[in-house]
Amino acid sequence: MQELLNGVANQVPYVIMLGYFLNMYLKRLDRYIEKTDELHDRLLKVEILLKTEIKNMHRRIDDDEDDD
């Protein structure tokens, strides 16, 4: 039993280091996700603006054709 406890005790530093690096990785992943969410939101805004501008251009073209 003592050998088992010593074996487990010897593994504790490795588990702590693994937990530390896993925590660092998860923080980085969270920042990456936040940045991609921001980028996605910005791209959606650009898409909406472009679609609106294209509709306006089509209206102007149609209005010009009607004037002729």
Side-chain angles (χ1 to χ4, degrees):
M1 185 68 172
Q2 185 67 29
E3 287 180 22
L4 179 62
L5 290 176
N6 284 339
V8 170
N10 289 337
Q11 300 301 320
V12 169
Y14 298 114
V15 171
I16 291 172
M17 287 184 347
L18 178 64
Y20 172 77
F21 288 115
L22 182 60
N23 187 35
M24 298 264 303
Y25 172 76
L26 290 175
K27 284 181 181 179
R28 278 186 167 181
L29 184 62
D30 187 49
R31 283 195 304 262
Y32 173 77
I33 290 170
E34 286 176 6
K35 287 182 179 182
T36 54
D37 284 346
E38 290 171 9
L39 179 61
H40 182 257
D41 291 344
R42 289 168 62 189
L43 287 172
L44 284 175
K45 287 178 185 176
V46 169
E47 180 184 15
I48 291 169
L49 289 172
L50 286 173
K51 285 181 178 181
T52 304
E53 186 63 30
I54 289 171
K55 284 180 184 178
N56 290 339
M57 287 175 60
H58 284 289
R59 285 185 189 140
R60 278 187 239 130
I61 290 171
D62 289 344
D63 287 346
D64 287 347
E65 288 176 352
D66 288 344
D67 289 343
D68 291 341

